[in-house]
Amino acid sequence: MSEKRQLILDVDTGTDDAIAIMAALLSPEFEVLGICTVSGNLPLANTTENTLRVVSLLAPQVPVIRGCAGPIVRDLDPRRKYCDNEEVLEDEDGNRIAFHVEEFDGLPPARIAPAPTNAVCWMVETLRAATKKVDLVLVGPLTNFALALRADPSIVEHVGQIVIMGGGCEERNSTSAAEFNFFMDPEAAQIVLGCGAKIVLVTLDATHHAVLCGEDVQRMRSWRTTVGDFVAQITSERIKAYTLFQPLFKPDSASMHDALCILYLLDGSVITKTRLLPVSVDFYGGASDGRSVMDTRSVPARAPNCTVCLGTDDEKFSRMLLDILGRAKG
Amino acid sequence: MSEKRQLILDVDTGTDDAIAIMAALLSPEFEVLGICTVSGNLPLANTTENTLRVVSLLAPQVPVIRGCAGPIVRDLDPRRKYCDNEEVLEDEDGNRIAFHVEEFDGLPPARIAPAPTNAVCWMVETLRAATKKVDLVLVGPLTNFALALRADPSIVEHVGQIVIMGGGCEERNSTSAAEFNFFMDPEAAQIVLGCGAKIVLVTLDATHHAVLCGEDVQRMRSWRTTVGDFVAQITSERIKAYTLFQPLFKPDSASMHDALCILYLLDGSVITKTRLLPVSVDFYGGASDGRSVMDTRSVPARAPNCTVCLGTDDEKFSRMLLDILGRAKG
Amino acid sequence: MSEKRQLILDVDTGTDDAIAIMAALLSPEFEVLGICTVSGNLPLANTTENTLRVVSLLAPQVPVIRGCAGPIVRDLDPRRKYCDNEEVLEDEDGNRIAFHVEEFDGLPPARIAPAPTNAVCWMVETLRAATKKVDLVLVGPLTNFALALRADPSIVEHVGQIVIMGGGCEERNSTSAAEFNFFMDPEAAQIVLGCGAKIVLVTLDATHHAVLCGEDVQRMRSWRTTVGDFVAQITSERIKAYTLFQPLFKPDSASMHDALCILYLLDGSVITKTRLLPVSVDFYGGASDGRSVMDTRSVPARAPNCTVCLGTDDEKFSRMLLDILGRAKG
Amino acid sequence: MSEKRQLILDVDTGTDDAIAIMAALLSPEFEVLGICTVSGNLPLANTTENTLRVVSLLAPQVPVIRGCAGPIVRDLDPRRKYCDNEEVLEDEDGNRIAFHVEEFDGLPPARIAPAPTNAVCWMVETLRAATKKVDLVLVGPLTNFALALRADPSIVEHVGQIVIMGGGCEERNSTSAAEFNFFMDPEAAQIVLGCGAKIVLVTLDATHHAVLCGEDVQRMRSWRTTVGDFVAQITSERIKAYTLFQPLFKPDSASMHDALCILYLLDGSVITKTRLLPVSVDFYGGASDGRSVMDTRSVPARAPNCTVCLGTDDEKFSRMLLDILGRAKG
Ligand SMILES: [Ca+2]
Ligand SMILES: [Ca+2]
Ligand SMILES: [Ca+2]
Ligand SMILES: [Ca+2]
């Protein structure tokens, strides 16, 4: 009988998602029941293919399940879709500079195929069949799990805690008000935040300090492993994008948002500041569309529903992450 | 090998839903694959129990599948929920006057239980497994099928046509702009109308002429069957409610909206007027929330997506319906 | 002491506005206190210049007051501005085909200048100074009077009745849901409809039968007057646009919406059908943005606030209009 | 020829407004051209009467002009009106505890009447007649000036700078997202922020440190002047309300938001931190309705339109304010 913590991952891979997946699969503390994909950083076809490659490399027995190709309802209104920041540019040589590599050419082709179902129904069935509580790590737009909750609200009884990469208190990225994952599907975020489970919200205020830097890239290259080379390559590209579009507290660094959720589950002390807060999401389509509204007033109007992570021990983060990634051989 | 037309029904039973289910189950032209329930006229527990009773009576082998307990996202905003019409009152003796009987006391208790799954996943699986095209008859809020489309958009390839009771061109009921089924889940309606399948929209302009009247009640009573007595009773209650809240073109009558969809599939000539129109749904939460917006201009802005039913042969409707209901024995 | 009916006109001239102005100025029954301009069919600079030319020709002593250059708040959201119909095209020879002539080249240059104030403040001052009730004829977007009501709500006490060209019950033009004047400033329309004054709403259902046709054009040309030639010219252009974009019930004809308001004040029998209805305006920005929501249910939810005009005696309309326009000499 | 700085004040008096007015009228550096009132902290009748009393006491020659009784369009939607915080309670003895005294019983009755016009038209006329640039101090909901801009946009050419008490970066009060003045009329705030003038935004992040405390109350009482007694009384009530509803950084203190705007004009160094930022206002009616959206990202999407005040020298604030208020004799 397994004493491991059972996890379901939900990802829009995406470079930092790839690293989160690797960290989970390389941690013996976890049993990953399955990895669901969703549209987000890239279209669903890409996030699924990228996920299949990562899983093929490290744990081909773990099912990858294709999820939703778009948000629940936000794309019914074409006027809601545009971020107001730059995310993709070309450098002077015509090379694409972006946060996310479209295709994971640095990894071998996938040896596995997606499961013959969809993420919504797979989540419902897997949770209903669970014999102990399962933790969810949701690091893309929250479409899949929100729809699963709508299809069968009773699944929440089988959930341990939900660790979400999403939202921001003082920090934001996609717009002047909102973080990317919440912005891409605000209604899904609001559904999940209201589901009644224990929720840990790993916000941009924390993840903007969960960085790898140029030195870390060098160290990973020195391993001469597939994982090391691949993570070094994508980190290096992310560093270029952050330097250009969103300079962080530390020069020559890039945030690895999603990986922080896995590290938090392994060792909560990587998070240096949390607050228990009422959090809702604006889904009205205006200047604050997708904003995580946190009631930080001294006398809040509602009871708290989230443990909000607001700070990261950046040295511990990079040390832990390289430790784990360094376990991959070959 | 069956030559019957395969149907999936989606209902919020509801008195006129009950009659639609009966008409479908009593018509040898159809093979009913399953009946999904949804919150709407009554809460999900009631619509499911009522459906189970009707199906137990006439075709206990047909699966009944519990669906969604509320709209996709509309209830995230509590301000969107109120109709501006009266739907339930008490008469001078304290008896409830309403369009829908809460519990079907006129029928024996259910002998069957709901299928051990949910409507969203059952729809996805059933359609994916279909060996020929399946017709959908959706006569409640469109939540279940909209979510199934989001979970797996490829299911639309297995759909023949979709017959929807919903919307109105000149007629409306729940608000001064909107019909009930669309009003209860406007986003679901918009998702379904945009799915690309062949859609027949049976609007209030047609169903307000799909009536049974006091004479029909007498005739059904004369049969001395369970179906006759039950339909006579609920029709009689509906006549009271229509007379009070929404007087129709014909005195002493009540609309049997949902049944018209089944009769249309049996004999299209029961509909006397159709137009091929571009139809969308307003889901912005204002005075027109849930309105079916039909582009009736001489030069419309978009291509049509619906065959809109705008008139009914009321005599043919009641004659056909009583013929079919009269088939039930015992 | 004048026994004439005192009028304030509010216009976005615009060809049919021009004819409404002429009809008012040529009718001895009216004393026109002033004519306010607003952005609408054309930008404010054009609607003001066009109005000045018409007034210069017929009654240069009547003040023309420049009004608002845009809607109250709708343009704060750039996503709300687009009609979904065509309104301007070029024919095969590169000539502009449009409902509204941009510049009134058929009239002599204006001999008067706009009053040295703005329409909002002029309306407030004029109504506060009125010694008897003044009727308002509002035939553009309702921005000016809505803002005047906000600046000083007490002015409504000095208003007799308000005749508005706006909205539609079954008819619409700018979008599949909305009429132009309401669509251009939905919040203004909602403010004015709720002001408590007696309101006559001259909708598209009426004005689409308030037409002039090719024969009328010939007759006006035969007068050999400036007014006859000018109205013949712009009517002829409108007929081209209607034929192309919005064919009406009568071939080779064009609607003269705004003029119907003036004719209604002269002889109410030009309107053949009215209903007293509760009317509100959708201002939520969705598919029904700017729609006039009329509660036509047998049991409406609110008390009526408008006399809604739904039909026109088209022969009487053209006869009356040509009678009046034929009074202009020279 | 006056070398004084000409000011127009716009207020919803309101206790901190009263102190701002007093500070302006007691400062020889300013020539106050007029004080416009608006609905906000209290209904228009109260804010006007309270303003008249303050002005009667200190400068009865300054005109007080009644402004708008409600927001531009927000009250068209009754669903947008509720704050989610408590602002008025009763203590155990049934005494009202609130931020704002409804009637200024501590002052003698007004000796002056409101000007026989309205704030919108008065602002337009006064600015058009100005021979030098006029500064605006707007410390209530921004309805009046927003409407004046709509009535005549050219008035902005006569404006020097606009100092606004409104918005918040990390701080908020009326809801978990929004500050009171912006929340009460979000569209007005968006219109004013976009007007193109130089704007100084004095946010809650600054004003929550612009406090008077119990010691200051004692000192003001010791003056034995009408002003001293009155300000001591209302400050004392505010301290009770802050202690109960919104405890501040300093115990036994209350924020005097509006007064900080006047002090800033006298000595900019009372503000300890400013940022030049792009600021817009969410007016979509959701969880962030009325929020001041500040683009604090390292690479903002638009050019800055506001100097945002984010910190206050609290000791300097109270010292300056008591100095000024202490000038009032009798
Ligand atoms: Ca991600
Ligand atoms: Ca139904
Ligand atoms: Ca017009
Ligand atoms: Ca104030």
Side-chain angles (χ1 to χ4, degrees), chain B residues 27-39:
Chain B
S27 295
E29 294 86 346
F30 302 129
E31 178 191 359
V32 178
L33 301 182
I35 303 179
C36 298
T37 62
V38 68
S39 171

Side-chain angles (χ1 to χ4, degrees), chain A residues 10-14 16-17 41 100 139-141 165 180-181 258:
Chain A
D10 193 61
V11 298
D12 61 329
T13 320
D16 57 325
D17 303 76
N41 290 319
H100 297 285
V139 297
M165 194 281 119
F180 180 82
N181 285 342
D258 297 349

Side-chain angles (χ1 to χ4, degrees), chain D residues 275-291:
Chain D
R275 288 184 69 179
L276 202 56
L277 289 173
V279 184
S280 59
V281 181
D282 192 299
F283 51 84
Y284 272 64
S288 301
D289 201 25
R291 178 173 179 77

Side-chain angles (χ1 to χ4, degrees), chain D residues 102-160:
Chain D
E102 286 179 285
E103 296 183 4
F104 283 5
D105 297 329
L107 293 183
R111 290 180 292 144
I112 60 174
T117 180
N118 63 81
V120 174
C121 296
W122 182 85
M123 281 179 167
V124 170
E125 284 155 26
T126 303
L127 287 168
R128 284 174 62 100
T131 53
K132 62 176 187 180
K133 300 249 179 176
V134 177
D135 287 349
L136 306 183
V137 180
L138 311 176
V139 297
L142 298 173
T143 319
N144 291 335
F145 186 58
L147 290 183
L149 284 166
R150 287 306 199 213
D152 185 347
S154 75
I155 57 174
V156 78
E157 295 160 23
H158 302 278
V159 172

Side-chain angles (χ1 to χ4, degrees), chain C residues 72 75 77 79 121 150 284, chain D residues 72 77 79 121 150 284:
Chain C
I72 304 182
D75 65 353
D77 181 356
R79 308 182 302 189
C121 296
R150 287 306 199 215
Y284 271 65
Chain D
I72 304 182
D77 182 356
R79 309 184 302 190
C121 296
R150 287 306 199 213
Y284 272 64

